[in-house]
mmCIF file of all heavy atoms in Angstrom:
data_model
loop_
_atom_site.group_PDB
_atom_site.id
_atom_site.type_symbol
_atom_site.label_atom_id
_atom_site.label_comp_id
_atom_site.label_asym_id
_atom_site.label_seq_id
_atom_site.Cartn_x
_atom_site.Cartn_y
_atom_site.Cartn_z
ATOM 1 N N LEU A 33 -0.636 13.523 7.538
ATOM 2 C CA LEU A 33 -0.436 14.960 7.329
ATOM 3 C C LEU A 33 0.484 15.556 8.347
ATOM 4 O O LEU A 33 0.275 15.445 9.560
ATOM 5 C CB LEU A 33 -1.809 15.712 7.385
ATOM 6 C CG LEU A 33 -1.714 17.230 7.189
ATOM 7 C CD1 LEU A 33 -1.165 17.611 5.815
ATOM 8 C CD2 LEU A 33 -3.065 17.870 7.439
ATOM 9 N N VAL A 34 1.527 16.214 7.848
ATOM 10 C CA VAL A 34 2.448 16.965 8.673
ATOM 11 C C VAL A 34 2.149 18.439 8.452
ATOM 12 O O VAL A 34 2.146 18.891 7.263
ATOM 13 C CB VAL A 34 3.933 16.687 8.303
ATOM 14 C CG1 VAL A 34 4.881 17.487 9.153
ATOM 15 C CG2 VAL A 34 4.247 15.175 8.420
ATOM 16 N N ALA A 35 1.922 19.172 9.525
ATOM 17 C CA ALA A 35 1.758 20.611 9.447
ATOM 18 C C ALA A 35 3.086 21.279 9.762
ATOM 19 O O ALA A 35 3.684 21.012 10.824
ATOM 20 C CB ALA A 35 0.671 21.061 10.402
ATOM 21 N N GLY A 36 3.523 22.134 8.877
ATOM 22 C CA GLY A 36 4.767 22.895 9.123
ATOM 23 C C GLY A 36 4.415 24.237 9.751
ATOM 24 O O GLY A 36 3.787 25.046 9.105
ATOM 25 N N VAL A 37 4.794 24.463 11.006
ATOM 26 C CA VAL A 37 4.492 25.668 11.710
ATOM 27 C C VAL A 37 5.744 26.542 11.626
ATOM 28 O O VAL A 37 6.797 26.220 12.145
ATOM 29 C CB VAL A 37 4.062 25.409 13.171
ATOM 30 C CG1 VAL A 37 3.765 26.690 13.860
ATOM 31 C CG2 VAL A 37 2.896 24.453 13.232
ATOM 32 N N LEU A 59 2.246 25.839 17.840
ATOM 33 C CA LEU A 59 2.624 24.435 17.573
ATOM 34 C C LEU A 59 1.609 23.497 18.321
ATOM 35 O O LEU A 59 1.101 22.545 17.753
ATOM 36 C CB LEU A 59 4.021 24.166 18.032
ATOM 37 C CG LEU A 59 4.644 22.868 17.678
ATOM 38 C CD1 LEU A 59 4.736 22.706 16.139
ATOM 39 C CD2 LEU A 59 6.075 22.800 18.233
ATOM 40 N N VAL A 62 -1.915 23.648 16.565
ATOM 41 C CA VAL A 62 -1.948 22.913 15.288
ATOM 42 C C VAL A 62 -1.842 21.423 15.534
ATOM 43 O O VAL A 62 -2.501 20.630 14.929
ATOM 44 C CB VAL A 62 -0.829 23.428 14.336
ATOM 45 C CG1 VAL A 62 -0.671 22.537 13.137
ATOM 46 C CG2 VAL A 62 -1.160 24.877 13.904
ATOM 47 N N ARG A 63 -0.942 21.048 16.454
ATOM 48 C CA ARG A 63 -0.715 19.631 16.803
ATOM 49 C C ARG A 63 -2.053 19.028 17.320
ATOM 50 O O ARG A 63 -2.222 17.802 17.209
ATOM 51 C CB ARG A 63 0.347 19.578 17.871
ATOM 52 C CG ARG A 63 0.968 18.199 18.034
ATOM 53 C CD ARG A 63 2.093 18.281 19.069
ATOM 54 N NE ARG A 63 3.368 18.474 18.410
ATOM 55 C CZ ARG A 63 4.378 19.167 18.884
ATOM 56 N NH1 ARG A 63 4.297 19.768 20.040
ATOM 57 N NH2 ARG A 63 5.490 19.252 18.207
ATOM 58 N N VAL A 68 -4.355 16.671 11.765
ATOM 59 C CA VAL A 68 -2.917 16.732 11.740
ATOM 60 C C VAL A 68 -2.305 15.512 12.463
ATOM 61 O O VAL A 68 -2.678 15.252 13.621
ATOM 62 C CB VAL A 68 -2.411 18.061 12.434
ATOM 63 C CG1 VAL A 68 -0.891 18.061 12.534
ATOM 64 C CG2 VAL A 68 -2.938 19.265 11.662
ATOM 65 N N ASP A 69 -1.434 14.815 11.792
ATOM 66 C CA ASP A 69 -0.779 13.628 12.361
ATOM 67 C C ASP A 69 0.506 14.037 13.082
ATOM 68 O O ASP A 69 0.918 13.399 14.042
ATOM 69 C CB ASP A 69 -0.517 12.597 11.289
ATOM 70 C CG ASP A 69 -1.795 12.030 10.695
ATOM 71 O OD1 ASP A 69 -2.528 11.404 11.466
ATOM 72 O OD2 ASP A 69 -2.044 12.251 9.519
ATOM 73 N N ALA A 70 1.169 15.064 12.583
ATOM 74 C CA ALA A 70 2.427 15.552 13.202
ATOM 75 C C ALA A 70 2.604 17.005 12.879
ATOM 76 O O ALA A 70 2.102 17.487 11.854
ATOM 77 C CB ALA A 70 3.610 14.739 12.706
ATOM 78 N N ALA A 71 3.286 17.730 13.738
ATOM 79 C CA ALA A 71 3.633 19.125 13.505
ATOM 80 C C ALA A 71 5.142 19.300 13.550
ATOM 81 O O ALA A 71 5.769 18.671 14.403
ATOM 82 C CB ALA A 71 2.895 20.019 14.506
ATOM 83 N N PHE A 72 5.620 20.090 12.668
ATOM 84 C CA PHE A 72 7.055 20.290 12.457
ATOM 85 C C PHE A 72 7.315 21.791 12.473
ATOM 86 O O PHE A 72 6.597 22.589 11.868
ATOM 87 C CB PHE A 72 7.413 19.708 11.108
ATOM 88 C CG PHE A 72 8.848 19.951 10.664
ATOM 89 C CD1 PHE A 72 9.893 19.147 11.100
ATOM 90 C CD2 PHE A 72 9.151 20.990 9.772
ATOM 91 C CE1 PHE A 72 11.159 19.369 10.623
ATOM 92 C CE2 PHE A 72 10.416 21.215 9.328
ATOM 93 C CZ PHE A 72 11.446 20.393 9.782
ATOM 94 N N VAL A 73 8.395 22.218 13.212
ATOM 95 C CA VAL A 73 8.748 23.644 13.250
ATOM 96 C C VAL A 73 9.593 23.933 12.009
ATOM 97 O O VAL A 73 10.658 23.350 11.808
ATOM 98 C CB VAL A 73 9.479 24.030 14.523
ATOM 99 C CG1 VAL A 73 9.914 25.497 14.451
ATOM 100 C CG2 VAL A 73 8.657 23.772 15.740
#
Side-chain angles (χ1 to χ4, degrees):
L33 180 62
V34 179
V37 181
L59 191 59
V62 170
R63 198 178 264 146
V68 174
D69 295 297
F72 173 84
V73 177

